[in-house]
Amino acid sequence: MSAGLRSGQVAEAAGVNVQTLRYYERRGLLAQPERSNGGHRLYGEDAVTALRVIKAAQRLGFTLEEVAELLEAGRHRHGRPVAGLQDRAAAKLAEVDAKIADLTTIRSALATAVEAGCDDLTVCASSACCPIPFTDLAEENRHAGPCC
């Protein structure tokens, strides 16, 4: 193979660094490239596409292991649709929704703590009116009297 992209060119085109490129190779996410007579790695344009797909999947919340499974399923479909992406995307969506719910709860507790003027975590946590749910305080005790 006389033509091809070298590691730095592929990394730059895909917006990753060369170490990331090599790491994905070692993990099997990218095929081993051909080598020039001088031993340099030579990649096809498909390597840039593959890197972009991997990074996009990671931004969507998929782990590298999950990305590897999705790529592997795609390699074995032989022109037929393979179940997997829809199911995995739906599962990831449910995971994201759960995280959003958790973060909404956390945000609410922190906003309440800021609004209440809590300034000492230990004092606040031992107070019956602490807005942060450190303990299972009764709702009526949580908001009774001046706080922190």
Side-chain angles (χ1 to χ4, degrees):
M1 177 178 203
S2 59
L5 300 170
R6 292 181 61 174
S7 299
Q9 294 170 308
V10 172
E12 184 178 341
V16 301
N17 62 47
V18 174
Q19 290 79 18
T20 300
L21 174 66
R22 299 225 173 102
Y23 178 70
Y24 291 168
E25 251 181 64
R26 286 192 305 274
R27 294 270 318 246
L29 295 166
L30 289 175
Q32 292 291 320
E34 293 190 31
R35 299 279 182 154
S36 70
N37 291 336
H40 296 285
R41 290 173 167 88
L42 296 174
Y43 299 88
E45 283 291 330
D46 58 331
V48 175
T49 302
L51 284 167
R52 289 179 179 157
V53 167
I54 292 165
K55 296 310 287 181
Q58 283 185 296
R59 282 191 295 277
L60 292 172
F62 289 99
T63 65
L64 281 180
E65 186 175 322
E66 291 168 330
V67 172
E69 291 170 2
L70 289 168
L71 291 173
E72 188 64 24
R75 289 183 191 118
H76 294 296
R77 70 179 192 196
H78 304 292
R80 297 183 311 268
V82 173
L85 181 57
Q86 285 291 317
D87 292 341
R88 291 169 196 242
K92 190 57 67 178
L93 182 58
E95 203 177 294
V96 168
D97 286 341
K99 286 179 184 178
I100 289 171
D102 288 346
L103 288 172
T104 300
T105 300
I106 291 167
R107 186 193 188 293
S108 177
L110 290 172
T112 303
V114 168
E115 187 178 304
C118 295
D119 202 30
D120 184 317
L121 188 62
T122 305
V123 171
C124 187
S126 62
S127 171
C129 65
C130 178
I132 302 174
F134 293 110
T135 60
D136 295 325
L137 297 173
E139 187 64 32
E140 63 272 7
N141 291 336
R142 193 177 298 181
H143 300 292
C147 187
C148 310

